[in-house]
Amino acid sequence: MHTMWKGSISFGLVNIPIKLYSATENKDIKMRYLHEKCHTPIKYEKTCPNCEKALESDEIVRGYEYEDGKFVIIERDEIEALAQEKSKSVEIVDFVELDDIDPVFFNRSYFIGPNDNGSKPYMLLKKAMETSGRIGIAKITIRSKEHLAAVRVYKNGLMMETMYFPDEVRELDHVPDLPEEMDLSDKELKMAQQLIEQLTTEFDPSQYQDERREAIMALIQSKISGDDIKVVKEKPKKNVVDLMDALQASLEPTGTTEPSKPKKQEQKKKKVSVKKKKEKEAN
């Protein structure tokens, strides 16, 4: 696994040498733009419309537009100098409960691994956080950008989640036509709760796949092998306008509209019965 950042975690006077590894990967299918006539990949050149010429990388600088058409030039080394002291440190400033953080703040996940001579303090932090049930709130600079971050226990190691700062999360009140509190009938609420109960289960990430990506890959493989391409027609959806009709139609496939035990409870009951059966056979 490729190391994408080296530095240390600090909390109090404790300093832990670490490495960061990307915990996720983007599996979007990448396609290139081609010239329709000859299928040659299209090139994108950076050009100056004023000088009417293509530019090399060393001819390009970064600038901030503070007024329309007016820029102040910012050099890369000027930005790096501002964050030089903190660029190699994950500084934990607080410990909080994970449940106190809304998921909207989380951005990207990284595995944290110990660097040279960092195994013991790494394990000390992991065990202490595990015992306390808390996570660390930290600051880290990655690629000249400062991030808020959450350091937490993940399986038998540590993970860091970069987070958005509060001013980067938009206010829900800005959503247009957000409904106010309204009266709902007891029957509607009961049926909605029943539907939730029927769909409740234990979270198993292996049950979910990117069906669209799989379909595109199957299409690509068909084209490569020269097979006939079969397009599956989408099933027409039933147009249910009335809310009660929609709830009723959602519950109909189960064959009952009576309250039922959630899947999670059924799974636990099944596990207990299997366990008892094994114990009986052992005796």
Side-chain angles (χ1 to χ4, degrees), residues 78-186:
E78 291 177 322
I79 294 177
E80 291 177 350
L82 294 175
Q84 190 170 7
E85 292 183 4
K86 295 183 178 181
S87 63
K88 294 300 178 183
S89 177
V90 181
E91 183 185 0
I92 296 179
V93 293
D94 292 304
F95 285 93
V96 302
E97 300 284 346
L98 178 59
D99 290 343
D100 291 343
I101 306 174
D102 192 284
V104 72
F105 284 96
F106 292 125
N107 183 7
R108 191 170 179 182
S109 304
Y110 298 89
F111 292 135
I112 301 175
N115 206 346
D116 299 337
N117 302 317
S119 296
K120 187 174 181 179
Y122 178 95
M123 189 55 64
L124 174 66
L125 176 60
K126 176 186 174 293
K127 287 289 185 182
M129 291 174 66
E130 222 165 22
T131 304
S132 68
R134 291 176 174 82
I135 68 168
I137 298 298
K139 284 190 174 182
I140 179 175
T141 301
I142 302 176
R143 298 189 183 95
S144 302
K145 183 183 186 321
E146 187 172 65
H147 298 267
L148 196 61
V151 177
R152 64 185 181 90
V153 175
Y154 178 76
K155 296 184 178 180
N156 61 334
L158 293 174
M159 175 176 276
M160 185 188 79
E161 316 268 358
T162 53
M163 300 170 61
Y164 293 104
F165 283 100
D167 60 351
E168 293 178 306
V169 178
R170 294 173 176 174
E171 293 293 334
L172 180 62
D173 295 340
H174 295 169
V175 176
D177 304 320
L178 199 66
E180 299 289 339
E181 286 293 327
M182 60 180 62
D183 292 330
L184 300 171
S185 72
D186 291 340

Side-chain angles (χ1 to χ4, degrees), residues 22 46 63 70 85 90 96 104 128 163 183 196 205 216 221 237 249 251 253 259 279:
S22 182
K46 296 178 180 178
K70 293 184 178 180
E85 292 183 4
V90 181
V96 302
V104 72
M163 300 170 61
D183 292 330
I196 290 173
I216 293 175
Q221 290 301 324
K237 293 183 179 179
L251 292 169
E279 289 175 350

